[in-house]
PDB file of all heavy atoms in Angstrom:
ATOM      1  N   GLU A 553     -12.818  35.041 -53.296  1.00 83.00           N
ATOM      2  CA  GLU A 553     -14.136  35.290 -52.652  1.00 83.00           C
ATOM      3  C   GLU A 553     -14.123  34.989 -51.126  1.00 83.00           C
ATOM      4  O   GLU A 553     -13.520  33.929 -50.724  1.00 83.00           O
ATOM      5  CB  GLU A 553     -15.216  34.459 -53.365  1.00 83.00           C
ATOM      6  CG  GLU A 553     -15.775  35.174 -54.560  1.00 83.00           C
ATOM      7  CD  GLU A 553     -16.651  36.341 -54.221  1.00 83.00           C
ATOM      8  OE1 GLU A 553     -15.972  37.499 -54.129  1.00 83.00           O
ATOM      9  OE2 GLU A 553     -17.826  36.235 -54.107  1.00 83.00           O
ATOM     10  N   HIS A 554     -14.772  35.733 -50.396  1.00 81.00           N
ATOM     11  CA  HIS A 554     -15.006  35.473 -49.001  1.00 81.00           C
ATOM     12  C   HIS A 554     -16.170  34.549 -48.845  1.00 81.00           C
ATOM     13  O   HIS A 554     -17.151  34.653 -49.548  1.00 81.00           O
ATOM     14  CB  HIS A 554     -15.197  36.743 -48.232  1.00 81.00           C
ATOM     15  CG  HIS A 554     -15.679  36.587 -46.806  1.00 81.00           C
ATOM     16  ND1 HIS A 554     -14.805  36.260 -45.803  1.00 81.00           N
ATOM     17  CD2 HIS A 554     -16.928  36.584 -46.237  1.00 81.00           C
ATOM     18  CE1 HIS A 554     -15.485  36.063 -44.666  1.00 81.00           C
ATOM     19  NE2 HIS A 554     -16.790  36.314 -44.940  1.00 81.00           N
ATOM     20  N   THR A 555     -15.929  33.534 -48.042  1.00 74.00           N
ATOM     21  CA  THR A 555     -17.049  32.570 -47.756  1.00 74.00           C
ATOM     22  C   THR A 555     -17.558  32.740 -46.336  1.00 74.00           C
ATOM     23  O   THR A 555     -16.784  32.729 -45.351  1.00 74.00           O
ATOM     24  CB  THR A 555     -16.530  31.053 -47.903  1.00 74.00           C
ATOM     25  OG1 THR A 555     -16.001  30.896 -49.195  1.00 74.00           O
ATOM     26  CG2 THR A 555     -17.710  30.105 -47.753  1.00 74.00           C
ATOM     27  N   PRO A 556     -18.866  32.972 -46.148  1.00 70.00           N
ATOM     28  CA  PRO A 556     -19.449  33.184 -44.830  1.00 70.00           C
ATOM     29  C   PRO A 556     -19.136  32.008 -43.899  1.00 70.00           C
ATOM     30  O   PRO A 556     -19.013  30.826 -44.307  1.00 70.00           O
ATOM     31  CB  PRO A 556     -20.932  33.257 -45.079  1.00 70.00           C
ATOM     32  CG  PRO A 556     -21.066  33.606 -46.577  1.00 70.00           C
ATOM     33  CD  PRO A 556     -19.919  32.950 -47.183  1.00 70.00           C
ATOM     34  N   VAL A 557     -18.921  32.278 -42.593  1.00 68.00           N
ATOM     35  CA  VAL A 557     -18.616  31.252 -41.657  1.00 68.00           C
ATOM     36  C   VAL A 557     -19.758  30.226 -41.509  1.00 68.00           C
ATOM     37  O   VAL A 557     -19.512  29.025 -41.363  1.00 68.00           O
ATOM     38  CB  VAL A 557     -18.434  31.918 -40.269  1.00 68.00           C
ATOM     39  CG1 VAL A 557     -18.179  30.919 -39.113  1.00 68.00           C
ATOM     40  CG2 VAL A 557     -17.231  32.860 -40.218  1.00 68.00           C
ATOM     41  N   SER A 558     -20.994  30.690 -41.750  1.00 68.00           N
ATOM     42  CA  SER A 558     -22.035  29.734 -41.637  1.00 68.00           C
ATOM     43  C   SER A 558     -21.978  28.649 -42.752  1.00 68.00           C
ATOM     44  O   SER A 558     -22.385  27.511 -42.576  1.00 68.00           O
ATOM     45  CB  SER A 558     -23.408  30.473 -41.877  1.00 68.00           C
ATOM     46  OG  SER A 558     -23.404  31.190 -43.070  1.00 68.00           O
ATOM     47  N   ASP A 559     -21.444  29.096 -43.896  1.00 66.00           N
ATOM     48  CA  ASP A 559     -21.242  28.102 -44.997  1.00 66.00           C
ATOM     49  C   ASP A 559     -20.005  27.147 -44.713  1.00 66.00           C
ATOM     50  O   ASP A 559     -20.052  25.997 -45.043  1.00 66.00           O
ATOM     51  CB  ASP A 559     -21.012  28.781 -46.305  1.00 66.00           C
ATOM     52  CG  ASP A 559     -22.255  29.475 -46.787  1.00 66.00           C
ATOM     53  OD1 ASP A 559     -23.362  29.187 -46.248  1.00 66.00           O
ATOM     54  OD2 ASP A 559     -22.108  30.313 -47.727  1.00 66.00           O
ATOM     55  N   LEU A 560     -18.907  27.747 -44.120  1.00 68.00           N
ATOM     56  CA  LEU A 560     -17.776  26.923 -43.773  1.00 68.00           C
ATOM     57  C   LEU A 560     -18.137  25.986 -42.647  1.00 68.00           C
ATOM     58  O   LEU A 560     -17.380  24.940 -42.561  1.00 68.00           O
ATOM     59  CB  LEU A 560     -16.674  27.805 -43.328  1.00 68.00           C
ATOM     60  CG  LEU A 560     -16.102  28.718 -44.405  1.00 68.00           C
ATOM     61  CD1 LEU A 560     -15.095  29.654 -43.730  1.00 68.00           C
ATOM     62  CD2 LEU A 560     -15.499  27.983 -45.506  1.00 68.00           C
ATOM     63  N   SER A 561     -19.170  26.198 -41.858  1.00 70.00           N
ATOM     64  CA  SER A 561     -19.478  25.242 -40.730  1.00 70.00           C
ATOM     65  C   SER A 561     -20.178  23.996 -41.194  1.00 70.00           C
ATOM     66  O   SER A 561     -20.375  23.050 -40.455  1.00 70.00           O
ATOM     67  CB  SER A 561     -20.307  25.991 -39.605  1.00 70.00           C
ATOM     68  OG  SER A 561     -19.583  27.065 -39.111  1.00 70.00           O
ATOM     69  N   ARG A 562     -20.609  23.963 -42.467  1.00 70.00           N
ATOM     70  CA  ARG A 562     -21.357  22.815 -42.911  1.00 70.00           C
ATOM     71  C   ARG A 562     -20.388  21.968 -43.714  1.00 70.00           C
ATOM     72  O   ARG A 562     -19.712  22.340 -44.764  1.00 70.00           O
ATOM     73  CB  ARG A 562     -22.435  23.230 -43.894  1.00 70.00           C
ATOM     74  CG  ARG A 562     -23.662  23.834 -43.182  1.00 70.00           C
ATOM     75  CD  ARG A 562     -24.858  24.000 -44.076  1.00 70.00           C
ATOM     76  NE  ARG A 562     -24.547  24.945 -45.150  1.00 70.00           N
ATOM     77  CZ  ARG A 562     -24.765  26.261 -45.099  1.00 70.00           C
ATOM     78  NH1 ARG A 562     -25.315  26.776 -43.998  1.00 70.00           N
ATOM     79  NH2 ARG A 562     -24.594  27.053 -46.107  1.00 70.00           N
ATOM     80  N   PRO A 563     -20.218  20.614 -43.314  1.00 69.00           N
ATOM     81  CA  PRO A 563     -19.284  19.804 -44.035  1.00 69.00           C
ATOM     82  C   PRO A 563     -19.746  19.505 -45.477  1.00 69.00           C
ATOM     83  O   PRO A 563     -20.911  19.576 -45.739  1.00 69.00           O
ATOM     84  CB  PRO A 563     -19.367  18.461 -43.206  1.00 69.00           C
ATOM     85  CG  PRO A 563     -19.905  18.890 -41.904  1.00 69.00           C
ATOM     86  CD  PRO A 563     -20.842  20.020 -42.171  1.00 69.00           C
ATOM     87  N   VAL A 564     -18.781  19.394 -46.399  1.00 66.00           N
ATOM     88  CA  VAL A 564     -19.078  18.980 -47.682  1.00 66.00           C
ATOM     89  C   VAL A 564     -19.596  17.597 -47.719  1.00 66.00           C
ATOM     90  O   VAL A 564     -19.047  16.647 -47.049  1.00 66.00           O
ATOM     91  CB  VAL A 564     -17.839  19.068 -48.557  1.00 66.00           C
ATOM     92  CG1 VAL A 564     -18.166  18.636 -50.101  1.00 66.00           C
ATOM     93  CG2 VAL A 564     -17.356  20.512 -48.618  1.00 66.00           C
ATOM     94  N   GLU A 565     -20.692  17.240 -48.459  1.00 62.00           N
ATOM     95  CA  GLU A 565     -21.270  15.899 -48.441  1.00 62.00           C
ATOM     96  C   GLU A 565     -20.241  14.957 -49.041  1.00 62.00           C
ATOM     97  O   GLU A 565     -19.727  15.135 -50.091  1.00 62.00           O
ATOM     98  CB  GLU A 565     -22.539  15.872 -49.275  1.00 62.00           C
ATOM     99  CG  GLU A 565     -23.742  16.671 -48.590  1.00 62.00           C
ATOM    100  CD  GLU A 565     -25.025  16.531 -49.284  1.00 62.00           C
ATOM    101  OE1 GLU A 565     -25.069  15.562 -50.131  1.00 62.00           O
ATOM    102  OE2 GLU A 565     -25.912  17.327 -49.142  1.00 62.00           O
ATOM    103  N   SER A 566     -19.968  13.920 -48.302  1.00 57.00           N
ATOM    104  CA  SER A 566     -18.999  12.934 -48.695  1.00 57.00           C
ATOM    105  C   SER A 566     -19.662  12.000 -49.888  1.00 57.00           C
ATOM    106  O   SER A 566     -20.827  11.710 -49.799  1.00 57.00           O
ATOM    107  CB  SER A 566     -18.533  11.980 -47.498  1.00 57.00           C
ATOM    108  OG  SER A 566     -19.685  11.316 -47.028  1.00 57.00           O
ATOM    109  N   GLY A 567     -18.819  11.684 -50.826  1.00 54.00           N
ATOM    110  CA  GLY A 567     -19.287  10.859 -51.921  1.00 54.00           C
ATOM    111  C   GLY A 567     -20.104  11.513 -52.956  1.00 54.00           C
ATOM    112  O   GLY A 567     -20.487  10.945 -53.913  1.00 54.00           O
ATOM    113  N   SER A 568     -20.477  12.853 -52.766  1.00 60.00           N
ATOM    114  CA  SER A 568     -21.287  13.472 -53.662  1.00 60.00           C
ATOM    115  C   SER A 568     -20.426  14.050 -54.851  1.00 60.00           C
ATOM    116  O   SER A 568     -19.307  14.300 -54.681  1.00 60.00           O
ATOM    117  CB  SER A 568     -22.074  14.596 -52.957  1.00 60.00           C
ATOM    118  OG  SER A 568     -21.193  15.598 -52.494  1.00 60.00           O
ATOM    119  N   SER A 569     -21.159  14.201 -55.981  1.00 67.00           N
ATOM    120  CA  SER A 569     -20.411  14.732 -57.145  1.00 67.00           C
ATOM    121  C   SER A 569     -20.229  16.277 -56.908  1.00 67.00           C
ATOM    122  O   SER A 569     -20.834  16.905 -56.036  1.00 67.00           O
ATOM    123  CB  SER A 569     -21.148  14.536 -58.413  1.00 67.00           C
ATOM    124  OG  SER A 569     -22.446  15.091 -58.289  1.00 67.00           O
ATOM    125  N   LEU A 570     -19.258  16.870 -57.694  1.00 70.00           N
ATOM    126  CA  LEU A 570     -18.995  18.303 -57.505  1.00 70.00           C
ATOM    127  C   LEU A 570     -20.278  19.106 -57.662  1.00 70.00           C
ATOM    128  O   LEU A 570     -20.546  20.037 -56.867  1.00 70.00           O
ATOM    129  CB  LEU A 570     -17.841  18.762 -58.508  1.00 70.00           C
ATOM    130  CG  LEU A 570     -17.378  20.148 -58.382  1.00 70.00           C
ATOM    131  CD1 LEU A 570     -16.873  20.441 -57.047  1.00 70.00           C
ATOM    132  CD2 LEU A 570     -16.480  20.502 -59.512  1.00 70.00           C
ATOM    133  N   LEU A 571     -21.026  18.899 -58.753  1.00 74.00           N
ATOM    134  CA  LEU A 571     -22.257  19.537 -59.049  1.00 74.00           C
ATOM    135  C   LEU A 571     -23.401  18.582 -58.873  1.00 74.00           C
ATOM    136  O   LEU A 571     -23.470  17.578 -59.542  1.00 74.00           O
ATOM    137  CB  LEU A 571     -22.258  20.150 -60.433  1.00 74.00           C
ATOM    138  CG  LEU A 571     -21.687  21.541 -60.687  1.00 74.00           C
ATOM    139  CD1 LEU A 571     -21.672  21.879 -62.087  1.00 74.00           C
ATOM    140  CD2 LEU A 571     -22.432  22.525 -59.874  1.00 74.00           C
ATOM    141  N   GLN A 572     -24.327  18.900 -57.933  1.00 81.00           N
ATOM    142  CA  GLN A 572     -25.541  18.139 -57.845  1.00 81.00           C
ATOM    143  C   GLN A 572     -26.396  18.464 -59.013  1.00 81.00           C
ATOM    144  O   GLN A 572     -26.337  19.442 -59.710  1.00 81.00           O
ATOM    145  CB  GLN A 572     -26.222  18.510 -56.513  1.00 81.00           C
ATOM    146  CG  GLN A 572     -25.387  18.121 -55.265  1.00 81.00           C
ATOM    147  CD  GLN A 572     -26.091  18.516 -53.996  1.00 81.00           C
ATOM    148  OE1 GLN A 572     -27.300  18.867 -53.964  1.00 81.00           O
ATOM    149  NE2 GLN A 572     -25.372  18.397 -52.888  1.00 81.00           N
ATOM    150  N   ARG A 573     -27.423  17.519 -59.233  1.00 84.00           N
ATOM    151  CA  ARG A 573     -28.291  17.721 -60.432  1.00 84.00           C
ATOM    152  C   ARG A 573     -29.060  18.985 -60.416  1.00 84.00           C
ATOM    153  O   ARG A 573     -29.165  19.673 -61.441  1.00 84.00           O
ATOM    154  CB  ARG A 573     -29.254  16.535 -60.417  1.00 84.00           C
ATOM    155  CG  ARG A 573     -30.136  16.496 -61.617  1.00 84.00           C
ATOM    156  CD  ARG A 573     -30.986  15.267 -61.655  1.00 84.00           C
ATOM    157  NE  ARG A 573     -30.145  13.993 -61.767  1.00 84.00           N
ATOM    158  CZ  ARG A 573     -30.686  12.823 -61.749  1.00 84.00           C
ATOM    159  NH1 ARG A 573     -32.019  12.593 -61.702  1.00 84.00           N
ATOM    160  NH2 ARG A 573     -29.821  11.668 -61.832  1.00 84.00           N
ATOM    161  N   SER A 574     -29.543  19.388 -59.247  1.00 85.00           N
ATOM    162  CA  SER A 574     -30.309  20.629 -59.202  1.00 85.00           C
ATOM    163  C   SER A 574     -29.362  21.783 -59.458  1.00 85.00           C
ATOM    164  O   SER A 574     -29.837  22.774 -60.167  1.00 85.00           O
ATOM    165  CB  SER A 574     -30.945  20.783 -57.773  1.00 85.00           C
ATOM    166  OG  SER A 574     -29.959  20.771 -56.722  1.00 85.00           O
ATOM    167  N   GLN A 575     -28.148  21.824 -58.891  1.00 88.00           N
ATOM    168  CA  GLN A 575     -27.189  22.939 -59.165  1.00 88.00           C
ATOM    169  C   GLN A 575     -26.903  22.958 -60.699  1.00 88.00           C
ATOM    170  O   GLN A 575     -26.786  24.063 -61.193  1.00 88.00           O
ATOM    171  CB  GLN A 575     -25.933  22.721 -58.385  1.00 88.00           C
ATOM    172  CG  GLN A 575     -26.032  22.850 -56.897  1.00 88.00           C
ATOM    173  CD  GLN A 575     -24.862  22.464 -56.037  1.00 88.00           C
ATOM    174  OE1 GLN A 575     -24.107  21.593 -56.503  1.00 88.00           O
ATOM    175  NE2 GLN A 575     -24.597  23.135 -55.021  1.00 88.00           N
ATOM    176  N   LEU A 576     -26.613  21.841 -61.237  1.00 91.00           N
ATOM    177  CA  LEU A 576     -26.335  21.797 -62.748  1.00 91.00           C
ATOM    178  C   LEU A 576     -27.463  22.399 -63.490  1.00 91.00           C
ATOM    179  O   LEU A 576     -27.280  23.080 -64.528  1.00 91.00           O
ATOM    180  CB  LEU A 576     -25.992  20.370 -63.184  1.00 91.00           C
ATOM    181  CG  LEU A 576     -25.566  20.220 -64.578  1.00 91.00           C
ATOM    182  CD1 LEU A 576     -24.375  21.089 -64.939  1.00 91.00           C
ATOM    183  CD2 LEU A 576     -25.292  18.787 -64.894  1.00 91.00           C
ATOM    184  N   GLY A 577     -28.672  22.032 -63.101  1.00 93.00           N
ATOM    185  CA  GLY A 577     -29.905  22.494 -63.861  1.00 93.00           C
ATOM    186  C   GLY A 577     -29.972  23.979 -63.788  1.00 93.00           C
ATOM    187  O   GLY A 577     -30.226  24.628 -64.819  1.00 93.00           O
ATOM    188  N   ILE A 578     -29.832  24.623 -62.670  1.00 93.00           N
ATOM    189  CA  ILE A 578     -29.899  26.094 -62.618  1.00 93.00           C
ATOM    190  C   ILE A 578     -28.658  26.671 -63.330  1.00 93.00           C
ATOM    191  O   ILE A 578     -28.880  27.698 -63.992  1.00 93.00           O
ATOM    192  CB  ILE A 578     -29.736  26.447 -61.059  1.00 93.00           C
ATOM    193  CG1 ILE A 578     -31.038  26.042 -60.276  1.00 93.00           C
ATOM    194  CG2 ILE A 578     -29.549  28.019 -60.906  1.00 93.00           C
ATOM    195  CD1 ILE A 578     -32.287  26.758 -60.788  1.00 93.00           C
ATOM    196  N   THR A 579     -27.547  26.096 -63.323  1.00 94.00           N
ATOM    197  CA  THR A 579     -26.437  26.578 -64.123  1.00 94.00           C
ATOM    198  C   THR A 579     -26.622  26.563 -65.572  1.00 94.00           C
ATOM    199  O   THR A 579     -26.346  27.606 -66.262  1.00 94.00           O
ATOM    200  CB  THR A 579     -25.157  25.801 -63.683  1.00 94.00           C
ATOM    201  OG1 THR A 579     -24.874  25.867 -62.310  1.00 94.00           O
ATOM    202  CG2 THR A 579     -24.007  26.307 -64.436  1.00 94.00           C
ATOM    203  N   VAL A 580     -27.191  25.557 -66.091  1.00 95.00           N
ATOM    204  CA  VAL A 580     -27.593  25.405 -67.489  1.00 95.00           C
ATOM    205  C   VAL A 580     -28.574  26.449 -67.764  1.00 95.00           C
ATOM    206  O   VAL A 580     -28.620  27.076 -68.852  1.00 95.00           O
ATOM    207  CB  VAL A 580     -27.998  24.016 -67.801  1.00 95.00           C
ATOM    208  CG1 VAL A 580     -28.503  23.922 -69.279  1.00 95.00           C
ATOM    209  CG2 VAL A 580     -26.822  23.058 -67.692  1.00 95.00           C
ATOM    210  N   MET A 581     -29.640  26.555 -66.932  1.00 96.00           N
ATOM    211  CA  MET A 581     -30.698  27.518 -67.242  1.00 96.00           C
ATOM    212  C   MET A 581     -30.211  28.927 -67.269  1.00 96.00           C
ATOM    213  O   MET A 581     -30.627  29.832 -68.121  1.00 96.00           O
ATOM    214  CB  MET A 581     -31.774  27.365 -66.118  1.00 96.00           C
ATOM    215  CG  MET A 581     -32.943  28.339 -66.262  1.00 96.00           C
ATOM    216  SD  MET A 581     -33.861  27.981 -67.827  1.00 96.00           S
ATOM    217  CE  MET A 581     -34.550  26.452 -67.519  1.00 96.00           C
ATOM    218  N   GLN A 582     -29.155  29.256 -66.463  1.00 96.00           N
ATOM    219  CA  GLN A 582     -28.583  30.568 -66.548  1.00 96.00           C
ATOM    220  C   GLN A 582     -27.964  30.801 -67.893  1.00 96.00           C
ATOM    221  O   GLN A 582     -28.227  31.890 -68.500  1.00 96.00           O
ATOM    222  CB  GLN A 582     -27.472  30.754 -65.455  1.00 96.00           C
ATOM    223  CG  GLN A 582     -28.057  30.973 -64.066  1.00 96.00           C
ATOM    224  CD  GLN A 582     -26.923  31.205 -63.057  1.00 96.00           C
ATOM    225  OE1 GLN A 582     -26.188  30.259 -62.755  1.00 96.00           O
ATOM    226  NE2 GLN A 582     -26.856  32.400 -62.630  1.00 96.00           N
ATOM    227  N   GLY A 583     -27.233  29.857 -68.404  1.00 95.00           N
ATOM    228  CA  GLY A 583     -26.633  29.962 -69.734  1.00 95.00           C
ATOM    229  C   GLY A 583     -27.702  30.105 -70.887  1.00 95.00           C
ATOM    230  O   GLY A 583     -27.499  30.904 -71.818  1.00 95.00           O
ATOM    231  N   LEU A 584     -28.728  29.362 -70.762  1.00 96.00           N
ATOM    232  CA  LEU A 584     -29.806  29.398 -71.760  1.00 96.00           C
ATOM    233  C   LEU A 584     -30.520  30.726 -71.715  1.00 96.00           C
ATOM    234  O   LEU A 584     -30.848  31.269 -72.776  1.00 96.00           O
ATOM    235  CB  LEU A 584     -30.790  28.271 -71.514  1.00 96.00           C
ATOM    236  CG  LEU A 584     -30.306  26.834 -71.758  1.00 96.00           C
ATOM    237  CD1 LEU A 584     -31.317  25.754 -71.403  1.00 96.00           C
ATOM    238  CD2 LEU A 584     -29.876  26.603 -73.217  1.00 96.00           C
ATOM    239  N   MET A 585     -30.691  31.288 -70.559  1.00 97.00           N
ATOM    240  CA  MET A 585     -31.369  32.548 -70.420  1.00 97.00           C
ATOM    241  C   MET A 585     -30.536  33.734 -71.052  1.00 97.00           C
ATOM    242  O   MET A 585     -31.076  34.596 -71.778  1.00 97.00           O
ATOM    243  CB  MET A 585     -31.685  32.854 -69.012  1.00 97.00           C
ATOM    244  CG  MET A 585     -32.792  32.045 -68.342  1.00 97.00           C
ATOM    245  SD  MET A 585     -34.393  32.412 -69.135  1.00 97.00           S
ATOM    246  CE  MET A 585     -34.751  34.003 -68.517  1.00 97.00           C
ATOM    247  N   ILE A 586     -29.150  33.561 -70.810  1.00 96.00           N
ATOM    248  CA  ILE A 586     -28.352  34.572 -71.362  1.00 96.00           C
ATOM    249  C   ILE A 586     -28.355  34.500 -72.895  1.00 96.00           C
ATOM    250  O   ILE A 586     -28.375  35.561 -73.661  1.00 96.00           O
ATOM    251  CB  ILE A 586     -26.921  34.436 -70.843  1.00 96.00           C
ATOM    252  CG1 ILE A 586     -26.871  34.827 -69.366  1.00 96.00           C
ATOM    253  CG2 ILE A 586     -25.967  35.335 -71.675  1.00 96.00           C
ATOM    254  CD1 ILE A 586     -25.524  34.574 -68.651  1.00 96.00           C
ATOM    255  N   ALA A 587     -28.306  33.316 -73.438  1.00 96.00           N
ATOM    256  CA  ALA A 587     -28.380  33.023 -74.839  1.00 96.00           C
ATOM    257  C   ALA A 587     -29.679  33.615 -75.457  1.00 96.00           C
ATOM    258  O   ALA A 587     -29.687  34.291 -76.518  1.00 96.00           O
ATOM    259  CB  ALA A 587     -28.274  31.599 -75.168  1.00 96.00           C
ATOM    260  N   ALA A 588     -30.806  33.427 -74.707  1.00 96.00           N
ATOM    261  CA  ALA A 588     -32.065  33.996 -75.125  1.00 96.00           C
ATOM    262  C   ALA A 588     -32.121  35.472 -75.079  1.00 96.00           C
ATOM    263  O   ALA A 588     -32.614  36.073 -76.069  1.00 96.00           O
ATOM    264  CB  ALA A 588     -33.203  33.395 -74.237  1.00 96.00           C
ATOM    265  N   GLY A 589     -31.449  36.084 -74.083  1.00 96.00           N
ATOM    266  CA  GLY A 589     -31.417  37.576 -74.010  1.00 96.00           C
ATOM    267  C   GLY A 589     -30.541  38.167 -75.129  1.00 96.00           C
ATOM    268  O   GLY A 589     -30.974  39.134 -75.696  1.00 96.00           O
ATOM    269  N   CYS A 590     -29.480  37.514 -75.494  1.00 96.00           N
ATOM    270  CA  CYS A 590     -28.654  38.028 -76.570  1.00 96.00           C
ATOM    271  C   CYS A 590     -29.304  37.891 -77.953  1.00 96.00           C
ATOM    272  O   CYS A 590     -29.211  38.720 -78.764  1.00 96.00           O
ATOM    273  CB  CYS A 590     -27.331  37.216 -76.534  1.00 96.00           C
ATOM    274  SG  CYS A 590     -26.191  37.519 -75.150  1.00 96.00           S
TER     275      CYS A 590
END
Side-chain angles (χ1 to χ4, degrees):
E553 275 291 87
H554 170 77
T555 304
V557 175
S558 58
D559 291 347
L560 293 177
S561 299
R562 288 192 295 270
V564 178
E565 293 186 18
S566 60
S568 62
S569 57
L570 181 63
L571 270 178
Q572 298 178 9
R573 184 175 299 179
S574 58
Q575 293 174 325
L576 182 59
I578 292 296
T579 300
V580 171
M581 181 59 68
Q582 285 183 289
L584 293 175
M585 288 294 290
I586 293 173
C590 293

